[in-house]
Amino acid sequence: MKEKISSLLAEIENIKAENAEQLEALRIKYLSKKGEVTALFSDFKSVPAEQKKEMGALLNDLKNKATEKIAELKAKFEGEKQAEEKIDVTRTPDPIEIGTRHPLSIVKNKIADIFSRIGFTIAEGPEIEDDWHVFSALNFPPEHPARDMQDTFFITKSPDVVLRTHTSSVQTRVMTSQKPPIRVLCPGRVYRNEAISYRAHCFFHQVEGLYIDKNISFADLKQALLYFAKEMFGEETAIRLRPSYFPFTEPSAEMDISCNICGGKGCAFCKNTGWVEILGCGMVDPAVLESCGIDSKVYSGYAFGMGVERITNLKYRVKDLRMFSENDVRFLDQFKSAY
Ligand code: DAH
């Protein structure tokens, strides 16, 4: 009996249970009415009288140790269960990693915001367009190089359906569907069949502006553009308008801003000129107004168009255009605080 007690004792000291069910099975095995420890108590009756004292003590000790061990394991499981159930509802949640706005969206929104303050609203048009809205209505002669296969992505030929090469097509859409006064800003993606490099891509983004009303002059255009340049690049920014040519404006100009990197002193970025070109503009050609059904004797207007990538490069010094479409989060993450 002594041996049985010591072997059970060793066994019980080493019992392990992985869950409450296993533990209950162990309790039944040792301590229930038919359990092994309980069975020893029945055998106790047949122990000779002179050994009863010693055996009794050993037996009680075994029973106590078994009860303790089972209670100890039980407490452990209950503790774990309680910990699982205890949810601190007052704890602030882990911060969620939020994404960033794309730099081109940041700049596009900023342009829209600046012009919305002087009454421009947003107008959008389709990226897949017909020749008339992209070229003919805008006074492009039939043999103009922009219509060439090398520049324009054609979807179908005769009728010519193309991917728009500029957002000036939205001007056509607005002028044919609204009556003056018209004051719209048209942001959007445009496509050109160009080899992809650090400075050219087959798609990019433009923002077009159009203002048509009675008595609109070149002075109004210049004032609006000066306001834009200062809001976008800082109060100290100067502008310069150079004569240029676009089929849809007459007169036409290109606008430079004083180089915002060297402050106009001359640096590698502005090729030592102190100026950088940012947009094309002009007075809407009367022929364009007429082809869109607007009386050019009553109304006049100005238009301008700029590349969002170009403005973004100037603002954030992004040297390679391809980065805008690569979706590299290491690049995008750097614009977290920009909006
Ligand atoms: N559409 C021209 C381009 O893609 C940009 C432009 C120039 C738009 C002059 C205009 C404008 O509205 O008046 O290069």
Side-chain angles (χ1 to χ4, degrees), residues 166 168 171 192 206 208 246 248-249 280-282 303-305:
H166 56 178
S168 304
Q171 277 192 29
R192 283 183 202 177
Q206 289 186 331
E208 185 86 11
F246 299 102
F248 36 90
T249 44
C281 61
F304 56 85

Side-chain angles (χ1 to χ4, degrees), residues 303-323:
F304 56 85
M306 64 186 97
V308 182
E309 278 80 354
R310 174 111 186 115
I311 308 281
T312 311
N313 286 351
L314 270 168
K315 240 185 133 51
Y316 298 116
R317 324 265 155 90
V318 181
K319 294 208 179 76
D320 190 332
L321 262 184
R322 291 167 292 197
M323 297 183 92

Side-chain angles (χ1 to χ4, degrees), residues 51-179:
Q51 289 178 19
K52 272 208 159 56
K53 197 175 169 205
E54 190 196 357
M55 287 302 160
L58 287 173
L59 251 170
N60 275 332
D61 182 51
L62 172 67
K63 189 180 173 187
N64 289 341
K65 290 235 165 86
T67 314
E68 260 170 43
K69 184 77 188 179
I70 302 263
E72 181 192 310
L73 289 173
K74 194 170 172 196
K76 190 177 140 227
F77 287 131
E78 274 173 1
E80 276 173 11
K81 207 166 140 203
Q82 254 180 15
E84 262 171 39
E85 280 167 5
K86 222 188 232 167
I87 296 167
D88 179 1
V89 289
T90 63
R91 186 177 162 269
T92 39
D94 291 334
I96 301 165
E97 262 297 302
I98 54 162
T100 55
R101 238 182 252 290
H102 193 280
L104 294 177
S105 297
I106 296 171
V107 170
K108 181 199 74 183
N109 291 346
K110 184 142 176 79
I111 299 169
D113 178 53
I114 292 170
F115 280 103
S116 77
R117 280 183 255 143
I118 53 169
F120 283 78
T121 54
I122 301 288
E124 282 175 333
E127 293 181 15
I128 298 174
E129 265 291 12
D130 53 58
D131 174 277
W132 191 78
H133 284 90
V134 184
F135 300 122
S136 300
L138 291 168
N139 211 24
F140 279 81
E143 70 287 356
H144 193 283
R147 297 182 134 150
D148 202 285
M149 291 292 272
Q150 282 167 19
D151 224 349
T152 307
F153 285 115
F154 284 82
I155 290 182
T156 62
K157 268 289 205 183
S158 57
D160 283 349
V161 176
V162 302
L163 287 177
R164 67 180 178 197
T165 55
H166 56 178
T167 44
S168 304
S169 59
V170 187
Q171 277 192 29
T172 323
R173 293 251 159 214
V174 174
M175 284 191 280
T176 47
S177 62
Q178 292 177 30
K179 287 201 177 355

